[in-house]
Amino acid sequence: MKKCYCFLMLFSFLSQFTFSQSKKEKTFEEIRKKYEMKTIDDISAMSDVRIFIQKAKDEANFSKLIQGFRDGRQFDIKHKISYADSAIAASIKYGTKDDISNDHLSKGIIYYFYHKNYKLALDEYLKAYVFSKRSDDQYLHHKVIYHLGVVKLHLGYYEEAQEHFDACVAYYGKNTELGLHS
């Protein structure tokens, strides 16, 4: 009986030690490394993206949650708008005005590029513009202005589009000369 009890105790200890070692949780970087080099719209990345998002939720890591929704937006072609909406909602709740601007810009790009819905793209770009106006990130602000110009060109607002492009040429030209974008 004593031998059996000792065996059970030893077995229990070794089992717990073995399983606790194999159950080591991966870091965000380890999870993301599995998919970050995949091409845009490669749905095979989504199982790891979902793991990333769940880990961010479990740990209440809101910057990683925003990143996870952005990653979902990149790889899940059928649900890009849903992930874009989730990224916007998370950015509004937990992020900065730059995060919000970036996420509205990205949603506008989805409408523009994937759906060819220029009016919805314009709506998102205008939302991005509102947040980028209050930003210290002038590169982001002018990136939004550029996209406004592109979509307004498609919608036939040629003079407004030209104004946007002129503002971008002035900004990017000046900063290229200063070596800020090289």
Side-chain angles (χ1 to χ4, degrees):
M1 183 73 168
K2 222 177 194 184
K3 287 182 184 181
C4 184
Y5 179 74
C6 287
F7 174 75
L8 286 174
M9 291 298 289
L10 181 62
F11 179 74
S12 175
F13 174 75
L14 289 175
S15 296
Q16 192 172 20
F17 179 75
T18 303
F19 289 119
S20 69
Q21 292 291 351
S22 65
K23 219 176 157 186
K24 179 187 174 255
E25 199 168 309
K26 292 183 178 179
T27 65
F28 286 107
E29 291 72 27
E30 290 169 332
I31 297 168
R32 199 155 190 261
K33 187 169 252 175
K34 292 175 74 176
Y35 65 83
E36 69 184 347
M37 298 306 281
K38 293 188 179 197
T39 59
I40 292 176
D41 299 333
D42 184 345
I43 195 72
S44 71
M46 286 309 297
S47 60
D48 292 314
V49 171
R50 283 189 208 73
I51 291 169
F52 187 96
I53 291 170
Q54 190 58 53
K55 179 176 174 63
K57 286 179 179 178
D58 292 345
E59 295 180 11
N61 187 327
F62 302 120
S63 65
K64 296 295 185 189
L65 183 61
I66 293 168
Q67 183 61 56
F69 289 138
R70 288 174 177 169
D71 291 345
R73 182 185 66 212
Q74 287 292 105
F75 295 110
D76 192 339
I77 192 162
K78 290 182 180 178
H79 302 102
K80 282 188 178 298
I81 294 296
S82 295
Y83 280 105
D85 286 337
S86 295
I88 291 168
S91 291
I92 289 170
K93 192 167 184 177
Y94 308 113
T96 65
K97 60 184 171 264
D98 289 352
D99 288 326
I100 300 167
S101 181
N102 264 315
D103 290 326
H104 277 293
L105 178 63
S106 293
K107 186 176 178 184
I109 290 169
I110 294 167
Y111 280 130
Y112 176 85
F113 183 78
Y114 288 91
H115 299 280
K116 308 297 185 228
N117 190 329
Y118 304 126
K119 290 188 189 247
L120 288 178
L122 178 59
D123 289 345
E124 292 302 321
Y125 294 159
L126 289 171
K127 291 173 188 173
Y129 180 75
V130 168
F131 287 97
S132 74
K133 280 193 323 187
R134 297 179 285 177
S135 173
D136 293 331
D137 185 348
Q138 288 300 298
Y139 177 78
L140 170 62
H141 180 67
H142 285 85
K143 183 177 173 182
V144 172
I145 290 173
Y146 169 79
H147 282 279
L148 278 167
V150 170
V151 79
K152 285 183 178 182
L153 188 67
H154 275 284
L155 292 170
Y157 304 122
Y158 302 117
E159 289 179 21
E160 290 179 39
Q162 184 64 52
E163 290 172 17
H164 293 308
F165 293 139
D166 289 343
C168 289
V169 166
Y171 171 77
Y172 291 119
K174 177 181 73 172
N175 287 309
T176 300
E177 290 170 11
L178 296 174
L180 298 177
H181 294 293
S182 45

